[in-house]
Amino acid sequence: MARNWRVLLVCYLLWVAVLIYSYQTAHRLGNIWFWASLLSGPFTHITAFAGLAPLPWTLSRRLPSPWRFAVGFVVSVVSCESVSYLLPIFDGWLLSRAGHQFNLARATAVYSSFVGPAMMIVGGLVASRARSEELRAASEAEAQIAKNRLLQGQVHPHVLFNALNGLAELVHKDPKAAETAIRHLSDLLRRILRASEHMRLPLGEERKIISDFLALEAIRLGPRLRVLWDWDEGLDSIEIPPLLLQPLVENAIKHGIAPSIPGGDIIIRARSRDGSVRLEIWNSGRPFPNQVNGSGIGLKNLRSRLALHFGSSAELVIGPSGQGTLACIQFEATQVEWPHEASEGPGS
């Protein structure tokens, strides 16, 4: 759109320059009517071609196919011929006030024969291009939604299968704990299904999903799993893609806590600074190597979803930090409206 306006501005300035040269009226430069004609003439013509001419085709595009072209053509003929008849009348009036001889009858005939049809053609082309751009934008939006659904679909079954595997172990070891775990799993799946209906969800909803997941893992790991929340609840309305942090928490347990006989610690942080949100998952245990451009499917999925929602400014970095591993996500913050449930604190 900006490029179109730049082209129109260049055309306008060129037209003014041509008029100044063609009139050869240096002695009239002090005449206000001369300048009114000089500046308004190109403006009215460009407005007629770029603004009014496409309207008949634009307004008729919602009609059924047989009538779309017919109605657009008829309305375009009437409107463009009417405008082409009025343009020389207005220009002639201004030029006559400026002292310039103007043959109105000849100008009207020329405009009706050439300018009117030209307006019809230009209007059809402009309307067709605008329609093509709208369809392209709609297709790109649908493609983004489809890609987001595909990426989310790769995550949701993964969470379910891992939870079921953990429950299978508990059924034999501790049936009562398995029963409690099933209730937590039900809450977890309810939240995941609810989140899957949206391309984004509030960060606070992600926190609840993590809490349900950690409750499941706490039943399986017992006191070996120690969780610390360092969470700014003022960020709970920030938009993120669903299940952005949960896979990182799951990896922290799988690679850092579960292999260790005494277990380990997980710290979950959410902070903001200068309009950016920084989310961190730290776990004790053997440090992971740097994963700035990790090739794992899970990391690729997370990076794809971050890029899809936040663009190239978002980043995901995983690497050693102290006596453990730190996964960090950073992106620009946006707010979202979300139906609220009963308030739940971290770890509830």
Side-chain angles (χ1 to χ4, degrees):
M1 182 61 70
R3 183 177 61 182
N4 294 341
W5 283 111
R6 286 196 295 267
V7 171
L8 292 177
L9 178 61
V10 171
C11 293
Y12 177 80
L13 295 177
L14 288 176
W15 199 339
V16 170
V18 169
L19 290 178
I20 292 176
Y21 177 78
S22 62
Y23 286 165
Q24 297 180 353
T25 52
H27 62 285
R28 295 176 182 162
L29 293 181
N31 189 321
I32 188 173
W33 291 104
F34 168 75
W35 283 104
S37 171
L38 191 66
L39 298 176
S40 66
F43 178 77
T44 55
H45 284 68
I46 291 176
T47 301
F49 274 85
L52 299 179
L55 283 179
W57 304 101
T58 302
L59 297 176
S60 63
R61 69 186 182 190
R62 297 187 181 277
L63 296 176
S65 182
W67 298 99
R68 186 184 309 130
F69 177 80
V71 173
F73 179 79
V74 171
V75 177
S76 179
V77 169
V78 174
S79 60
C80 290
E81 286 297 326
S82 300
V83 171
S84 68
Y85 182 80
L86 294 174
L87 282 175
I89 295 177
F90 179 71
D91 291 343
W93 179 76
L94 288 176
L95 287 173
S96 64
R97 297 298 298 265
H100 187 80
Q101 298 297 324
F102 188 80
N103 190 330
L104 181 60
R106 181 180 178 183
T108 302
V110 171
Y111 268 62
S112 298
S113 301
F114 298 101
V115 176
M119 285 180 60
M120 292 174 55
I121 296 174
V122 172
L125 293 175
V126 172
S128 176
R129 179 179 177 182
R131 179 60 175 167
S132 298
E133 291 180 350
E134 289 179 6
L135 292 175
R136 184 184 66 181
S139 298
E140 290 177 353
E142 290 178 1
Q144 279 199 332
I145 293 174
K147 183 177 180 180
N148 182 73
R149 296 296 187 198
L150 176 62
L151 292 172
Q152 287 181 205
Q154 294 175 357
V155 175
H156 298 170
H158 176 70
V159 176
L160 175 60
F161 294 150
N162 284 352
L164 290 176
N165 288 334
L167 285 175
E169 297 178 13
L170 286 176
V171 167
H172 298 289
K173 295 180 180 179
D174 190 343
K176 187 174 181 180
E179 181 181 349
T180 303
I182 290 174
R183 287 198 295 269
H184 285 297
L185 178 59
S186 175
D187 292 338
L188 177 63
L189 292 179
R190 175 176 55 84
R191 294 192 190 280
I192 290 176
L193 289 174
R194 184 168 179 243
S196 66
E197 298 174 357
H198 304 268
M199 287 190 66
R200 298 190 183 190
L201 83 167
L203 187 56
E205 192 69 15
E206 178 82 0
R207 171 172 57 83
K208 295 173 184 176
I209 291 175
I210 295 173
S211 296
D212 287 328
F213 177 77
L214 288 174
L216 278 173
E217 293 297 298
I219 294 174
R220 182 171 66 92
L221 297 174
R224 295 173 58 211
L225 174 62
R226 298 177 293 276
V227 181
L228 174 63
W229 292 82
D230 182 10
W231 191 278
D232 181 0
E233 295 188 12
L235 302 177
D236 279 355
S237 61
I238 298 298
E239 283 188 333
I240 64 169
L243 294 180
L244 190 64
L245 287 177
Q246 187 277 334
L248 297 178
V249 174
E250 182 178 343
N251 282 342
I253 294 175
K254 178 179 179 181
H255 299 290
I257 310 302
S260 173
I261 294 177
D265 303 307
I266 290 182
I267 301 176
I268 304 173
R269 295 190 181 97
R271 299 173 179 173
S272 66
R273 182 178 181 182
D274 298 330
S276 294
V277 175
R278 185 180 178 90
L279 307 175
E280 298 179 354
I281 308 295
W282 182 88
N283 65 272
S284 60
R286 179 181 298 178
F288 244 45
N290 285 314
Q291 295 287 321
V292 178
N293 294 301
S295 58
I297 295 176
L299 293 181
K300 283 186 176 180
N301 184 300
L302 286 179
R303 287 195 173 89
S304 295
R305 292 198 288 147
L306 279 172
L308 180 64
H309 288 266
F310 302 112
S312 58
S313 61
E315 63 177 358
L316 165 63
V317 179
I318 300 178
S321 174
Q323 299 300 314
T325 302
L326 177 65
C328 177
I329 294 176
Q330 189 162 325
F331 56 87
E332 297 298 320
T334 54
Q335 305 288 330
V336 64
E337 293 290 334
W338 188 262
H340 292 290
E341 299 178 355
S343 177
E344 301 175 28
S348 60

